[in-house]
Amino acid sequence: MTLAIELSAVVVTVKDGTAMVLCRPGGEGACYALPSGPFAPGKHRTFDLALRAFVHDQTGFDIGYVEQLYSFGDAARGDVISVGYLALTPSMDFETRSSAVWVPFHRFFPWEDFLHGQRDGHRDGHRDGEQNASIKALRPALDHWAGATDSRAEAGLRLRRIETLFPLEFDHWNEERVLDRYELLYDAGLVGEAGYADQAGVAGVAMALDHRRILATGLSRLRGKLKYRPVIFELMPERFTLLELQRSLEALTGLRLHKQNFRRALERTGFVAPLGEMREDTGGRPAALYRYDRDQFRFSPSLGLSLPRA
């Protein structure tokens, strides 16, 4: 059997404090799909070059930072293996072609979002430590699944898995385990890709084939990498305020950060340098503008950013 290779791109940006992913129409009943296309060795020398070419062809968008995720196989794909990529861009140009659209991450993973109070403009509308509405709705269904087996050992394993990934205590929430949570919901039959009819929208928007699994892998990788590499600056414009930087990190992690502790930790890294200019269009007090000091990355005692929760 000959295996075909397909490349899929998780293209991420942040707009107005919301993490977004670039999507195209899904076809065959699916709302969305990731930009993807076959790898043709005779046409492109490397996977990276092929990825950049078809993303541009399908969406009209030129991606920036790129790194490979994993290889994915799925029964629905048959003899096609997909190689997933994570791509980051600071571009604020949201005009794309071929019906490509930017979609908020929380549309696909509502249980990952603890910021909806901020997103709606009511900063105190949701206190960190509370479960969001999606988790509250999913936990009873997950608990029912845990008990829907004749094996006590299997029931215990299922319950421990649920308590680890969807803990009742917010302090035990691990924001990096996006893929593990999606896989759990898939195994429990609670996502659209597993045939779940989600009337309340608590399980997020389904995607074509295994694209939501690839997307979950990309978000897991990005959330983890923020802590040991300064990749957040691949998503920032050349000039930004510290509040814009914090809001971007919050959008990607789904968690509110402690402002003073975050700024103290950021200062220790030396990653940002003041420009000596102010931004007036903040809706409040003028804010100082900064830039990312790329040279400092080589000398910083920290390779990533501390993300102290509020």
Side-chain angles (χ1 to χ4, degrees):
M1 180 178 66
T2 301
L3 294 177
I5 298 176
E6 180 182 82
L7 307 179
S8 300
V10 177
V11 186
V12 180
T13 195
V14 177
K15 178 177 173 61
D16 298 331
T18 298
M20 315 280 281
V21 61
L22 188 61
C23 296
R24 59 182 180 83
E28 297 185 7
C31 293
Y32 299 108
L34 296 173
S36 59
F39 173 66
K43 185 176 181 181
H44 299 289
R45 183 169 54 86
T46 66
F47 283 177
D48 286 16
L49 292 175
L51 183 88
R52 293 177 185 277
F54 76 68
V55 169
H56 179 80
D57 290 343
Q58 292 180 10
T59 69
F61 195 81
D62 292 315
I63 55 179
Y65 173 94
V66 170
E67 70 170 80
Q68 191 175 126
L69 292 170
Y70 297 104
S71 298
F72 300 86
D74 188 271
R77 289 183 172 275
D79 57 356
V80 177
I81 293 177
S82 179
V83 180
Y85 276 79
L86 173 66
L88 309 178
T89 175
S91 175
M92 292 293 103
D93 180 9
F94 277 64
E95 296 298 326
T96 60
R97 72 167 75 128
S98 304
S99 302
V101 292
W102 293 96
V103 185
F105 266 108
H106 64 81
R107 291 279 308 281
F108 302 107
F109 308 111
W111 56 87
E112 299 291 338
D113 176 32
F114 290 86
L115 294 172
H116 66 268
Q118 286 190 3
R119 182 170 291 111
D120 294 336
H122 307 290
R123 299 192 184 280
D124 296 324
H126 180 89
R127 297 193 305 274
D128 286 333
E130 292 182 348
Q131 293 178 337
N132 64 25
S134 178
I135 295 177
K136 289 181 179 179
L138 289 169
R139 269 302 297 250
L142 284 168
D143 292 339
H144 175 77
W145 171 74
T149 175
D150 295 332
S151 169
R152 293 181 60 184
E154 175 63 20
L157 288 173
R158 290 182 180 186
L159 187 58
R160 285 196 293 275
R161 190 178 172 195
I162 294 167
E163 291 174 344
T164 299
L165 296 175
F166 289 93
L168 295 176
E169 294 294 331
F170 180 76
D171 288 344
H172 298 156
W173 178 264
N174 184 340
E175 70 276 8
E176 295 181 32
R177 302 191 69 173
V178 186
L179 176 61
D180 292 334
R181 280 187 284 271
Y182 174 75
E183 295 282 16
L184 170 57
L185 294 174
Y186 187 96
D187 290 345
L190 296 177
V191 291
E193 292 87 343
Y196 181 58
D198 185 9
Q199 301 298 327
V202 297
V205 176
M207 299 185 75
L209 299 173
D210 56 351
H211 285 201
R212 191 153 53 143
R213 181 170 178 253
I214 298 173
L215 181 56
T217 304
L219 185 55
S220 292
R221 170 76 65 86
L222 181 54
R223 284 182 171 183
K225 197 159 190 174
L226 289 170
K227 300 172 185 177
Y228 66 89
R229 299 286 287 187
V231 293
I232 183 61
F233 298 106
E234 302 291 344
L235 291 160
M236 301 302 297
E238 291 185 7
R239 299 146 53 94
F240 53 85
T241 69
L242 296 186
L243 183 59
E244 288 171 336
L245 179 61
Q246 179 180 334
R247 291 286 185 258
S248 295
L249 286 163
E250 290 175 334
L252 294 169
T253 60
L255 303 172
R256 189 177 304 168
L257 302 181
H258 190 285
K259 180 178 178 180
Q260 287 75 23
N261 289 346
F262 167 69
R263 293 194 176 186
R264 280 194 288 266
L266 179 64
E267 183 178 358
R268 288 194 295 270
T269 68
F271 285 155
V272 298
L275 291 171
E277 303 174 32
M278 306 294 287
R279 171 163 291 165
E280 304 289 342
D281 58 344
T282 62
R285 296 173 58 185
L289 285 166
Y290 291 78
R291 65 173 178 86
Y292 172 44
D293 188 347
R294 293 184 180 274
D295 292 334
Q296 181 61 28
F297 172 65
R298 295 178 296 169
F299 308 108
S300 172
S302 172
L303 297 181
L305 295 174
S306 175
L307 304 177
R309 298 184 186 183

